[in-house]
């Protein structure tokens, strides 16, 4: 992982940032922290509405913890290994329908770490397909859950 300042400056360009100074959770929010790295010469930024009431109440559903977390990576070699073909098809088709084909393959090929939110989706789809076995991924990385 790159150093924090460089990474946040790169992310600030297209990331959903927050500027609610009255939010009680801002000191631990990735969206707030990345917002502090927006270049001073930028006149436009994608941000949480300054009128979003849940942010002021501390119940913001857009909150992202600013601590790096361990995330699984890759579904290419071990994920489908012990599953019956019909279960594999159901899971793959459902995950493609959830995002899109290119995003699915970024997760599948290990190009994008699997965030805790997306891991919950994968678990749910696997249980819907009837798969009760363990979910084995190709590896693990530590990164921010953007």
């Amino acid at each position: 992982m790159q150093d924090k300042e460089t990474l946040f400056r790169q992310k600030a360009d297209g990331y959903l940032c927050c500027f609610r100074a009255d939010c009680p959770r801002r000191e631990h929010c990735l969206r707030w922290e990345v917002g502090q790295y927006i270049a001073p010469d930028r006149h436009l930024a994608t941000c949480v509405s300054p009128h979003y009431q849940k942010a002021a109440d501390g119940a913001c559903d857009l909150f992202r913890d600013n601590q790096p977390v361990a995330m699984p990576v890759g579904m290419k070699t071990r994920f489908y290994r012990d599953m019956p073909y019909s279960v594999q098809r159901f899971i793959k088709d459902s995950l493609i329908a959830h995002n899109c084909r290119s995003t699915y393959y970024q997760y599948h090929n290990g190009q994008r770490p699997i965030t805790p939110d997306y891991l919950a989706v994968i678990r749910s789809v696997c249980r819907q397909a009837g798969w009760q076995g363990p979910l084995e991924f190709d590896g693990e990385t530590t990164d921010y859950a953007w």
Side-chain angles (χ1 to χ4, degrees):
M1 192 165 60
Q2 299 176 8
D3 73 282
K4 188 176 181 177
E5 185 170 337
T6 304
L7 182 63
F8 282 17
R9 286 195 193 288
Q10 290 172 349
K11 273 291 186 188
D13 197 28
Y15 191 60
L16 177 64
C17 299
C18 183
F19 303 105
R20 290 290 304 247
D22 61 340
C23 177
R25 299 172 74 189
R26 74 177 181 276
E27 298 299 322
H28 301 287
C29 184
L30 192 59
R31 295 192 191 285
W32 167 265
E33 193 168 353
V34 171
Q36 306 313 299
Y37 288 89
I38 290 180
D41 60 341
R42 285 199 51 212
H43 60 279
L44 292 174
T46 305
C47 68
V48 176
S49 170
H51 304 291
Y52 189 50
Q53 189 57 44
K54 286 186 177 181
D57 296 342
C60 184
D61 53 339
L62 298 171
F63 174 82
R64 295 290 182 270
D65 196 336
N66 65 354
Q67 296 301 312
V69 294
M71 294 183 275
V73 178
M75 303 163 64
K76 197 172 194 172
T77 59
R78 297 171 21 197
F79 187 79
Y80 294 111
R81 183 176 45 202
D82 296 329
M83 295 179 189
Y85 181 75
S86 60
V87 172
Q88 291 178 27
R89 277 302 332 158
F90 179 87
I91 292 170
K92 181 179 176 182
D93 292 345
S94 297
L95 293 176
I96 288 172
H98 184 267
N99 286 313
C100 66
R101 184 171 298 280
S102 61
T103 302
Y104 166 79
Y105 278 105
Q106 288 174 355
Y107 287 120
H108 177 82
N109 295 330
Q111 297 164 324
R112 180 185 281 201
I114 298 168
T115 63
D117 291 343
Y118 193 62
L119 182 58
V121 169
I122 292 171
R123 282 193 175 116
S124 174
V125 167
C126 288
R127 299 311 172 235
Q128 288 173 7
W131 181 250
Q132 298 300 319
L135 302 180
E136 296 183 44
F137 296 92
D138 298 342
E140 189 174 274
T141 188
T142 302
D143 201 351
Y144 295 97
W146 302 104

